[in-house]
Every structure is written in structure tokens, then in C-alpha cells.
Amino acid sequence: MQQLESSLIWQPEESREKIITALNYILEDGRPPRQFSLPATPDMLPDMDLRMYIDQGVWIISTVYTYLAYTDDYSILDEECSYYVASDDNSYIVRKSDIRDTVLDHMLRIMDFLIRNLDTEMGTNCLRALYGDWNDAIDGLGRTTDKGRDFGSGVSVMASLQLMQNFREMSDILRHTGTHTEKIAEYDELSNKLVAGLEKYAIDTNEAGERRVIHGWGDKISYKLGSWNDPDGTARLSTTSHSFWVLTGMTERDPSMKDVVMKAFDAVVSDYGLKTFDKAFPMSIRDKAGRICTITPGTYENAAAYVHASMFAIMALFTLGESRRAWDETEKSVVISHENCTKTAFAMPNSYCRTEEYDIDGDSMGDWYTGSGTVLIKELVKFGFGICPDLDALTLQTPAVMPCTNAEISLTVKGHPICVKYTDTGAGKRRFVIDGKEALGEFSPLMNTQKLRIPTDLLSDGTVIEVID
């Protein structure tokens, strides 16, 4: 889904087909599998990875929303898709479901599954981690010692923030379609509770009054990870929780959190980009943190420059108006800026590993394009050029600092081929010109840049939008 969210910018028809294909492999209860194989014949059952990672659905909701924002093709929501049924122990698929309904119905079931996994037991109203989220090495947060339960009340802060965004996205979609409008009030109420829970439990404060956004907490809030006092007694910083705090709008609620985020990012700087954590996880807390403790320190997710995490942090830097820093970190995160790093057939590695003990410096031991190259593409379009459509309009949020004097991109938005051109004339003041006519932007204090919002009905084939500094 993350790869489709990138490819739909240039290949909407092909990406639409793949979105629908993937939604045909959702389980009846609204849970998407981690992975699935396409059966060779219609009567074969697919192989599926049924480990209960909590975040599969949040990416689907956001990807379909982005597709609608770029294409205005609401017909995708009416496409009919099927479901599958898993065994009682969730270890394999037993049959294809008799139920068939629309893409929108599938999205509603996905939301219902996520809502059922909100932590009401401890009253945090945040999203339980279950088996884990995309940072799948941290698979300990969902564990419990309670008999008869597969998972406890432990929470993934990042996935909780993504679900908060999903509530907004789904409400927006339902307002536009005029269907299932009773869900909007439900989503708004749950979102408010989730935000309150995040503000109360996800921000950890030390004795000096310093704050940080934790990565998550274990069953019954018995321990925290990425906190001032992790189970090994270490103060540890998580990059992704701070990144998504910014990207989901939480810093707009409390702008003072910008300093908290920037201090966290300062602590994870490396020659290869921003690291996942400032300190590696040791084996001594494997029962709490999970598999990440078995990963060599300084490699993969365990305190290395893991590009998937780095890219989201760079997006957060752009969002916070730190565009010069964002460009610097982007350069460090791509292979062409390093002589000694691993180079592969893909655009970039997914991690740059560094650990003196094993003489590792710049090696990438495994690549995953979806977590590196495809996120870089999204970042360059949404924050580099600043092209950010929603369901009503196209917002242009070109950063205050650009790494060049001229740049140009052509793509299709709302069904219309458009061109965005950037020119630095040295004037020291930003202007917007649409098809030769001046347009008035609005300054965003958070992003430290002029934004221009163009309603959908003002876009036409061949629209040229100029950003002139």
C-alpha cells in the first residue's frame, strides 16, 4: 500500500487495479493480512501471513484517501471485492467468504477492526500493538502473561497516531460520498478520545520537566519503550513516534512540541541520516521490546539509519519549517552521497548499518524498496515540490528553502495534467502565478513557507503553477 501511494501519482489506473486486488484479500472481520500470495487458479486458497500486525489497515485507509485526492475517481469505492475466512487459531485460510461488498464497505470493516483494538481496558483509548507495527522488530509491546489472551493492552504510539489520521480521512470521504454519515460522529468522538489518550500517556516527562514522545508501552502500562526510563534503565529516543507526532498534526495542537521533536532528531543524527533510536536495545529486555534486541546494535532497526524511519523524520522536518535541514538529511539518505555504502539494483538501500565492533560502515544487509525509494518519491512530491492534494483542493506547500534555482514537475492531479515550476530569482519574497495570473498565498508559521490552496474547480488541463522566490 505504501508503494501504491507513491505509484498512483504517475500510474493511477494501474495502481487502482492493485488497490482493488489487495482489498480482495481482507478477512471477514476487517483485518488485512501482513502478506498474501496470488493463487494460481480461482479455486485455490491463497497463502497469507496472518500474524496480527496492527497497522496493516491504517496504510490502506491512507492510500485510498490519497488515490481519491489525486484522481477524484470515487467510482473505486463502488468496486465489489471479496473476503477470506481464517482458521480459529488464525494460522491459515480455510475458505473464501460468501460475502462480497464494495471497497468502501471494506474500508468500514477495516476501521471497525481497528476500533475494536483500541485500549479501553486501561482507558488510554489508544491503538493496541498486538503483534507489532511496521517497525516489526519491536514485537514485544503486545505481549501479555494473562492466561487465555493472545495480546495485552500494550500500545503502539505511531499506529495510534495513524489511526487518528484515518478517522479524519474516513470522515472526509463519507462527507463527500454522503453515505454512512452516522459514522462521522462516531469517528470524531473516538478521535477526540484517542488524542486525549495520546496527550496523557504518550508524552513522557522527566524530573527536569523535559518531554519526549515514547514509542509505546507494554501491557497495563507496566513499562515504556523510547522513554526516559526504559526497562533496562536507559533513557532512549524513538524517531518514528516523534515523526508521526508532527505528520498527524499534533504539533499544531501544541506548537511547543516542535522543540521536543527537534531535540529528539538532534540525538539521532548520523553520517547516513537519522537513526531509528539514539541507543540500541540490549538482549536483557528481549521479553519487553522483542526481536529488536536480537539485532546487532547499529544495524537494521536497532539504532541504525533505517531509511524508512529516516524518510518520515525528514517529512516531519519539512512540516516543521526546517527545510534546509530536511534537504541535508535527504542527501545523506541516498546512495549517491556515499562512496562506501552498499549499492543495489534499487534506487537506494533501506538501511545503512554502522557498528565499529563488527567493522560495518555503510553496509545494507537487506533491502526493501517500499521502505526507502517509494517513500523518498512521496516525500519529494509532497514536501520537495510541495504538491499536496486533498479531497477538495490542491495545496502547494513548496518549502522555504530549495536546493536549486530551478525545478519543474509534470503530473496529473484531479484528472488534469498540470505543471509546477519553481524559480529562485533572488527577490527574497515568494509569488504564485497560475497560468500567467498572480495568485495570493497564505503564510504558514509552522512550515515557515507560503502556501497556495487551489480549489479543484480552478484546475484544468495544462494548468501551469509557478512558484517564484
Side-chain angles (χ1 to χ4, degrees):
M1 282 293 158
Q2 291 185 74
Q3 191 156 340
L4 289 171
E5 192 178 20
S6 168
S7 65
L8 66 83
I9 299 172
W10 283 279
Q11 296 175 287
E13 292 181 4
E14 294 89 341
S15 301
R16 182 187 195 274
E17 178 188 348
K18 298 301 182 186
I19 290 170
I20 294 169
T21 296
L23 284 169
N24 272 283
Y25 292 85
I26 305 299
L27 303 187
E28 273 189 351
D29 64 357
R31 177 166 67 92
R34 174 98 166 153
Q35 304 173 71
F36 64 89
S37 66
L38 293 171
T41 62
D43 59 333
M44 286 181 62
L45 291 175
D47 288 328
M48 290 191 188
D49 179 351
L50 294 175
R51 291 173 295 173
M52 294 186 71
Y53 286 93
I54 190 58
D55 67 328
Q56 305 310 301
V58 298
W59 299 107
I60 293 175
I61 301 299
S62 290
T63 298
V64 175
Y65 180 90
T66 303
Y67 175 82
L68 295 173
Y70 263 96
T71 66
D72 269 356
D73 173 26
Y74 286 86
S75 69
I76 190 175
L77 300 177
D78 298 322
E79 291 284 349
E80 194 173 82
C81 299
S82 58
Y83 297 94
Y84 281 90
V85 179
S87 60
D88 291 340
D89 62 358
N90 280 305
S91 60
Y92 60 95
I93 294 298
V94 294
R95 63 180 176 85
K96 197 166 189 175
S97 171
D98 296 328
I99 302 171
R100 289 185 62 86
D101 54 26
T102 66
V103 165
L104 181 57
D105 290 325
H106 276 58
M107 294 171 72
L108 292 168
R109 285 191 187 230
I110 290 169
M111 291 298 291
D112 287 344
F113 173 79
L114 292 167
I115 289 168
R116 288 196 301 274
N117 281 290
L118 289 170
D119 168 38
T120 56
E121 177 186 351
M122 299 303 296
T124 69
N125 296 301
C126 296
L127 189 59
R128 295 192 299 147
L130 302 187
Y131 199 91
D133 54 39
W134 70 258
N135 195 337
D136 54 11
I138 304 177
D139 56 7
L141 288 173
R143 293 176 180 170
T144 183
T145 56
D146 293 349
K147 292 183 179 180
R149 298 180 66 186
D150 293 325
F151 303 102
S153 58
V155 160
S156 164
V157 169
M158 183 192 73
S160 297
L161 289 162
Q162 289 178 284
L163 177 57
M164 180 189 70
Q165 178 175 294
N166 290 161
F167 283 133
R168 292 198 297 261
E169 291 166 337
M170 283 299 296
S171 292
D172 202 8
I173 290 171
L174 297 180
R175 288 188 186 99
H176 276 76
T177 60
T179 57
H180 304 280
T181 52
E182 74 284 352
K183 286 283 188 180
I184 296 175
E186 177 190 354
Y187 293 158
D188 290 347
E189 180 183 359
L190 290 169
S191 179
N192 290 336
K193 289 181 178 179
L194 197 160
V195 169
L198 286 167
E199 290 177 334
K200 181 176 181 179
Y201 296 99
I203 298 176
D204 195 29
T205 306
N206 67 5
E207 293 181 355
E210 299 174 296
R211 296 173 293 172
R212 61 182 44 176
V213 183
I214 66 176
H215 193 87
W217 57 85
D219 195 19
K220 301 177 177 64
I221 324 181
S222 55
Y223 64 91
K224 302 174 183 177
L225 296 181
S227 70
W228 289 104
N229 184 25
D230 276 12
D232 59 339
T234 299
R236 185 175 282 107
L237 278 163
S238 165
T239 300
T240 51
S241 59
H242 287 87
S243 301
F244 277 82
W245 196 267
V246 175
L247 296 174
T248 55
M250 292 295 280
T251 44
E252 295 179 30
R253 292 177 56 87
D254 181 3
S256 71
M257 286 296 292
K258 175 180 176 178
D259 293 337
V260 175
V261 174
M262 293 304 298
K263 188 173 182 179
F265 289 167
D266 288 343
V268 295
V269 170
S270 80
D271 292 341
Y272 297 107
L274 299 171
K275 300 185 295 182
T276 53
F277 294 93
D278 61 332
K279 300 180 183 72
F281 288 87
M283 279 293 292
S284 60
I285 57 170
R286 183 180 179 182
D287 62 323
K288 301 290 195 302
R291 184 174 61 84
I292 194 168
C293 300
T294 69
I295 297 174
T296 302
T299 68
Y300 294 106
E301 298 100 322
N302 201 13
Y306 196 72
V307 177
H308 200 179
S310 305
M311 287 294 114
F312 288 119
I314 292 167
M315 291 183 194
L317 286 170
F318 277 120
T319 302
L320 292 174
E322 301 288 338
S323 49
R324 187 179 301 277
R325 171 96 178 261
W327 285 117
D328 289 344
E329 294 296 341
T330 300
E331 183 178 353
K332 287 195 290 184
S333 294
V334 295
V335 292
I336 58 174
S337 64
H338 303 290
E339 292 183 4
N340 63 318
C341 69
T342 302
K343 296 174 176 64
T344 73
F346 292 121
M348 58 199 299
N350 194 45
S351 60
Y352 299 106
C353 303
R354 187 168 192 171
T355 174
E356 292 182 4
E357 182 181 357
Y358 295 98
D359 196 27
I360 297 173
D361 186 1
D363 295 270
S364 177
M365 300 168 189
D367 289 311
W368 182 48
Y369 178 76
T370 302
S372 55
T374 191
V375 189
L376 173 66
I377 291 170
K378 290 189 291 185
E379 174 190 296
L380 291 176
V381 174
K382 187 174 182 178
F383 295 100
F385 280 94
I387 297 169
C388 185
D390 58 30
L391 301 191
D392 297 302
L394 166 62
T395 294
L396 208 60
Q397 53 184 26
T398 309
V401 175
M402 289 287 280
C404 53
T405 55
N406 292 278
E408 181 176 322
I409 186 172
S410 296
L411 68 171
T412 300
V413 179
K414 308 292 187 183
H416 300 293
I418 68 168
C419 180
V420 175
K421 297 181 178 181
Y422 170 80
T423 307
D424 185 357
T425 64
K429 184 179 181 180
R430 175 158 293 181
R431 297 165 48 225
F432 294 104
V433 178
I434 304 177
D435 291 334
K437 298 180 181 179
E438 294 277 345
L440 184 63
E442 182 177 353
F443 183 73
S444 166
L446 182 65
M447 295 195 76
N448 189 34
T449 190
Q450 288 281 337
K451 287 185 176 184
L452 177 64
R453 186 168 175 81
I454 309 170
T456 300
D457 57 7
L458 294 184
L459 294 173
S460 59
D461 290 357
T463 294
V464 176
I465 307 166
E466 298 178 77
V467 184
I468 305 170
D469 283 344

